[in-house]
Amino acid sequence: DSGVTQTPKHLITATGQRVTLRCSPRSGDLSVYWYQQSLDQGLQFLIQYYNGEERAKGNILERFSAQQFPDLHSELNLSSLELGDSALYFCASSLTTGGYEQYFGPGTRLTVT
Amino acid sequence: AQTVTQSQPEMSVQEAETVTLSCTYDTSESDYYLFWYKQPPSRQMILVIRQEAYKQQNATENRFSVNFQKAAKSFSLKISDSQLGDAAMYFCAYRSALQTNAGNNRKLIWGLGTSLAVNP
């Protein structure tokens, strides 16, 4: 158990819908990262937050957004969902924004039908 | 841009034997970190081992060790005394060590993974 929690574990929704994925980092970790794992593109970095502020952006679509709250949990919002958004979404956390070890949550499996 | 390549999509090993998974990377940076992560059927991403580029000594964690060849940009993972529980996808990942506020250097860059089967 990495100490990073993600909810829900599974999510099935229809195209055009909007969903929110939630992540709670390890106790004491200030930095949260979101990754997408799909069959055709492997693991891709989406976005990073540190202590409530956005710090880095990767291959994140404009339909996706994220935030980190004062209690350090983070939410990834996916809207206008398409079939291609079906993937495993991971959250990871690290101690500081420079902390090089990232610990991963169990992931949320999103299926868009 | 940095890239990570795992040239072996699938590998197999007999229980108790040793197997080596390959990883090469491309970067112009001199300071960085390299990782091997394991993803079993449960899908949990588990950190197996890490290597700091400035360290010449190869990292070791119990039955897992790496062969880090900085000049060749190679970072292979050796699993000794393979166990059934080692069966998983193994991902090699790179992270820059640049200390800037630009932010993007903190992301992990991933290979496509190697699926390891352990035969009893």
Side-chain angles (χ1 to χ4, degrees), chain A residues 38-81:
Chain A
S38 60
L39 283 175
D40 57 346
Q41 293 195 353
L43 278 148
Q44 300 285 325
F45 167 72
L46 295 178
I47 197 164
Q48 178 205 355
Y49 278 82
Y50 173 72
N51 204 20
E53 294 186 1
E54 180 185 308
R55 279 301 180 94
K57 228 171 191 180
N59 302 318
I60 188 167
L61 300 172
E62 287 191 6
R63 300 183 285 108
F64 296 1
S65 65
Q67 54 185 327
Q68 186 179 28
F69 295 86
D71 67 352
L72 300 177
H73 91 271
S74 178
E75 293 181 357
L76 179 66
N77 301 296
L78 316 176
S79 61
S80 302
L81 285 167

Side-chain angles (χ1 to χ4, degrees), chain A residues 37 97 100-102 104, chain B residues 37 39 44 50 52 106:
Chain A
Q37 184 179 28
T97 189
Y100 59 83
E101 287 189 6
Q102 296 181 18
F104 282 74
Chain B
Y37 279 86
Q39 188 178 36
Q44 177 76 51
R50 70 174 188 273
E52 294 88 340
R106 297 172 183 87

Side-chain angles (χ1 to χ4, degrees), chain A:
Chain A
D1 185 358
S2 67
V4 179
T5 61
Q6 288 186 249
T7 57
K9 288 187 178 179
H10 302 277
L11 202 46
I12 302 174
T13 189
T15 54
Q17 295 299 304
R18 181 180 188 275
V19 297
T20 298
L21 313 184
R22 182 188 169 104
C23 167
S24 292
R26 293 188 317 160
S27 177
D29 283 359
L30 301 178
S31 203
V32 169
Y33 307 78
W34 286 96
Y35 293 88
Q36 179 193 57
Q37 184 179 28
S38 60
L39 283 175
D40 57 346
Q41 293 195 353
L43 278 148
Q44 300 285 325
F45 167 72
L46 295 178
I47 197 164
Q48 178 205 355
Y49 278 82
Y50 173 72
N51 204 20
E53 294 186 1
E54 180 185 308
R55 279 301 180 94
K57 228 171 191 180
N59 302 318
I60 188 167
L61 300 172
E62 287 191 6
R63 300 183 285 108
F64 296 1
S65 65
Q67 54 185 327
Q68 186 179 28
F69 295 86
D71 67 352
L72 300 177
H73 91 271
S74 178
E75 293 181 357
L76 179 66
N77 301 296
L78 316 176
S79 61
S80 302
L81 285 167
E82 302 175 358
L83 295 177
D85 298 328
S86 296
L88 186 55
Y89 291 85
F90 282 108
C91 166
S93 72
S94 67
L95 181 58
T96 69
T97 189
Y100 59 83
E101 287 189 6
Q102 296 181 18
Y103 295 89
F104 282 74
T108 293
R109 167 72 70 187
L110 173 65
T111 302
V112 182
T113 62

Side-chain angles (χ1 to χ4, degrees), chain B residues 21-37:
Chain B
L21 309 183
S22 300
C23 172
T24 58
Y25 57 94
D26 189 26
T27 183
S28 59
E29 298 175 337
S30 59
D31 199 12
Y32 47 86
Y33 307 105
L34 295 165
F35 306 88
W36 279 98
Y37 279 86

